[in-house]
Amino acid sequence: MIFAANLKCNHTRSSFELYAQELNQKLNQEDEVFIFPPNVAFLKNNFIFQQGAQNFYPCENGAYTGEIGRIHLEEFNIKSVLIGHSERRSLNEDESFLKAKFDFAKTLDFNIIYCIGESLETKNSKQSLDFLKKQIGNIDLTYEKLIIAYEPIYSIGTRVSADLDDINTVLDFLRQSTQAKLLYGGSVNQNNIKAICALKNCDGVLVGSAALKADEFFNMIQIAKG
Ligand code: 13P
């Protein structure tokens, strides 16, 4: 199972330092855990979990005001990235830019958690699978370090995860196109993580708000495993 936490625009470097130390003490070596802090909170320590970047620009370095490139990730030994999160797509990251990010991260041999997900409107018009098929049509589905996170937009930050049946249908559908690990994200919490992780094609979860405290995220991992 993969347990990933997207801390979004939360935690400073000093608060993330405490978070990372606490989680690191509790985790076992066999847990596959990714934590995505804000870029300014990256730490240089080695942890049991993988530290990843929520965002980067597909460049080494250069005249890209406000962005970070490969050399900045390298300084913190970052080898995992999130791409395609709906919160970044809504900031005008379009398919061609997402492909450029994907291709760049692939050449660096990074772990890529590629996020996809439809709106409630798309779901209600029964277009979900067609929509998701287009979103994954943009990337190399055979890349061996690819992880796909299915995060329906209508379940993010709402405290109500998608229906298990709907998650199951989508994960089964994705499995027909790729052998990549498949995660679910969207209001995953201590109450629903076990049932979500038990779905046949679910290889783990991508957690937002319920992972903001290290002890609570660790408890979720224990619940999912137990
Ligand atoms: P929440 O768990 O807060 O709904 O966020 C999910 C998410 O967007 C993870 O990337």
Side-chain angles (χ1 to χ4, degrees), residues 6 8 82 85 87 115 151 155-159 185-188 206-210:
N6 175 8
K8 305 192 180 182
L82 281 185
H85 195 285
E87 290 161 9
C115 304
E151 299 204 302
S155 69
I156 294 176
T158 59
R159 295 174 186 265
S187 296
V188 179
L206 176 55
V207 186
S209 39

Side-chain angles (χ1 to χ4, degrees), residues 65 81 86 88 90 105 115 123 130 163 167 169 181 195 212 221:
T65 303
V81 288
S86 57
R88 294 218 57 86
S90 72
C115 304
K123 173 179 156 42
D130 283 349
D163 282 353
I167 303 171
T169 301
K181 294 270 171 61
L212 290 179
I221 295 172

